[in-house]
Every structure is written in structure tokens, then in C-alpha cells.
């Protein structure tokens, strides 16, 4: 079973890369809805289980000097803390990568 946080499957890296270049250089209109995104990346990217809560948040343009962190939902971290900090685990530190591998 794939992790709950994985929202897409990359089918064709090269095609997805070309779409990203086209969007970045304004050679192609950027999708503004989930339906438009899915249509534009057809064959390159598959969005998992669109019937649930996954929405399209748009694009983020940042200068190269800007460091951007995408934080996970607090509920995901709370669940991990509950799972991995029970009795006997209190002093054990796990990296996010180690938690996600479990």
C-alpha cells in the first residue's frame, strides 16, 4: 500500500519535464483547476484518487535564492509521534525518512 501522502505517480519523466519547462517559460498556459491539470499532464503524471480530498493548489514561482519548505499536515506529524514515541521509544529519535519507511 502506498504512503497516504503520495498524491501522484510519474509515468513519463521526460514529458513531465517538458510540461514544466513550457509552464515556466509561459509557452503553454498553466492549468488553473484539477481537471485542467490532469488533462495537461495526461501520459506524464497520474493523480491518485481524485474523488477524495486532493486539490490543485496552483504553481509557486520563487527566485533561486529563496528556500521553500513544504510542511506536512500537523495531523500526520501527530500520528507519527503517537506511533513512534510510546513507552520504551521515548528516547529514540527517528528521522522522517525512517518513519515513512515503516
Amino acid at each position: 500500500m502506498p504512503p497516504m501522502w503520495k498524491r501522484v505517480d510519474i509515468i513519463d519523466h521526460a514529458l513531465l519535464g517538458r510540461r514544466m519547462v513550457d509552464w515556466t517559460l509561459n509557452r503553454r498556459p498553466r492549468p488553473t483547476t484539477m481537471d485542467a491539470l490532469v488533462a495537461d499532464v495526461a501520459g506524464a503524471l497520474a493523480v491518485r484518487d481524485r474523488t477524495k480530498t486532493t486539490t490543485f493548489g496552483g504553481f509557486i514561482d520563487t527566485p533561486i535564492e529563496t528556500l521553500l519548505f513544504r510542511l506536512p499536515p500537523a495531523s500526520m506529524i501527530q500520528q507519527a509521534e503517537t506511533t513512534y514515541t510510546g513507552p520504551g521509544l521515548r528516547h529514540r529519535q527517528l528521522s522522517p525518512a525512517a518513519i515513512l519507511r515503516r
Side-chain angles (χ1 to χ4, degrees):
M1 181 171 173
M4 68 179 213
W5 49 266
K6 189 167 182 185
R7 301 286 185 242
V8 297
D9 290 308
I10 298 175
I11 299 164
D12 185 333
H13 289 82
L15 179 56
L16 182 58
R18 287 192 299 274
R19 288 290 182 270
M20 292 175 73
V21 167
D22 288 344
W23 295 328
T24 301
L25 299 178
N26 295 314
R27 294 179 186 156
R28 181 183 196 94
R30 293 179 183 186
T32 57
T33 66
M34 180 63 88
D35 289 337
L37 175 70
V38 168
D40 206 28
V41 297
L45 186 82
V47 177
R48 294 180 176 205
D49 200 1
R50 291 187 46 220
T51 61
K52 293 200 176 176
T53 59
T54 301
T55 60
F56 177 58
F59 295 88
I60 300 171
D61 290 302
T62 57
I64 194 72
E65 303 85 16
T66 301
L67 183 60
L68 190 65
F69 284 91
R70 182 175 187 266
L71 299 175
S75 60
M76 179 188 273
I77 298 302
Q78 290 165 338
Q79 179 184 0
E81 282 186 333
T82 300
T83 302
Y84 298 106
T85 60
L89 297 175
R90 190 72 54 208
H91 299 290
R92 184 174 163 196
Q93 292 184 345
L94 293 176
S95 69
I99 291 171
L100 294 175
R101 281 195 299 267
R102 293 179 174 256

